[in-house]
Amino acid sequence: MKTLLLVAGLLLASAASAQTTPTAAALTKRLNHLMHRPGETDTEIRAVLEGCHFTQIIRKHRLDGKQEATAFQVSHRKNGADWAVKSDEKVEFELKLGVEWSQVTSLTYAPAQDEKTQQRYYEVKIRRERPSKDGSGTNSTTLELPLYTTDERVARDVVQQLEQVRRQCGE
């Protein structure tokens, strides 16, 4: 009987995770579309939603096949957050920033303006806070995601969807 209950529980858990996967995939696709700056060819910003971890990737590609830099890669992962920096023959600069949704304390959006084009867009801010080791306060990290749209409803909807993912991971 215990085995049957365990198998039923595992089947229900896998069905629940299968239901959230398409939602996360659709949200990731939507985010990546909205974060693409119109007319930008050498720089990309991407989001990756994997389980209860969110990663932002900012990548600047090398143009015209220039291979002047030496390859390097540095990364760090600790206490639910991670970062990595890399460069090689194809990528001039890549920065990855990641956080666990359970540590995100707020999700907000605000209007912003592109310095190059003067175009308006919205920026989503994902804030993570953790108590400092010495107990003197908190350490915080804020990821900023550009949403190249002038429609506030789109920004609000994306933040609401991200908030749903955050709540699911906090349970």
Side-chain angles (χ1 to χ4, degrees):
M1 182 67 171
K2 287 182 182 179
T3 306
L4 182 60
L5 288 174
L6 179 61
V7 169
L10 289 172
L11 287 173
L12 286 173
S14 66
S17 71
Q19 290 173 355
T20 60
T21 302
T23 303
L27 179 56
T28 300
K29 184 176 180 179
R30 185 174 188 200
L31 270 170
N32 289 334
H33 173 74
L34 288 167
M35 290 190 308
H36 177 73
R37 183 191 314 230
E40 187 72 55
T41 58
D42 67 336
T43 303
E44 67 178 305
I45 300 174
R46 291 189 24 237
V48 178
L49 293 162
E50 291 179 328
C52 288
H53 193 79
F54 176 85
T55 303
Q56 177 185 25
I57 303 168
I58 302 165
R59 182 180 295 135
K60 181 170 177 148
H61 298 279
R62 293 193 185 278
L63 297 177
D64 303 326
K66 294 180 183 176
Q67 296 181 8
E68 299 168 0
T70 304
F72 69 88
Q73 184 169 349
V74 180
S75 63
H76 178 75
R77 182 177 187 95
K78 187 175 183 181
N79 298 325
D82 56 271
W83 60 265
V85 178
K86 149 184 162 175
S87 179
D88 59 27
E89 64 278 352
K90 294 180 182 177
V91 175
E92 185 176 330
F93 181 79
E94 178 180 278
L95 175 64
K96 289 184 182 181
L97 303 167
V99 295
E100 292 294 326
W101 281 116
S102 61
Q103 296 177 356
V104 171
T105 56
S106 70
L107 286 161
T108 59
Y109 70 93
Q113 188 167 355
D114 189 300
E115 292 177 12
K116 290 180 184 178
T117 65
Q118 303 304 310
Q119 296 291 318
R120 277 186 42 133
Y121 66 96
Y122 282 89
E123 191 168 71
V124 173
K125 295 185 183 212
I126 300 173
R127 185 173 175 86
R128 172 191 179 262
E129 288 186 5
R130 300 255 314 149
S132 62
K133 287 186 179 183
D134 63 6
S136 63
T138 59
N139 295 324
S140 67
T141 306
T142 303
L143 303 180
E144 297 173 350
L145 311 175
L147 301 180
Y148 292 103
T149 179
T150 56
D151 189 344
E152 183 178 4
R153 290 176 297 180
V154 171
R156 183 176 41 243
D157 185 51
V158 166
V159 168
Q160 287 173 348
Q161 289 178 0
L162 289 170
E163 185 64 45
Q164 287 176 345
V165 172
R166 181 176 83 92
R167 278 196 301 261
Q168 288 173 350
C169 289
E171 297 172 351

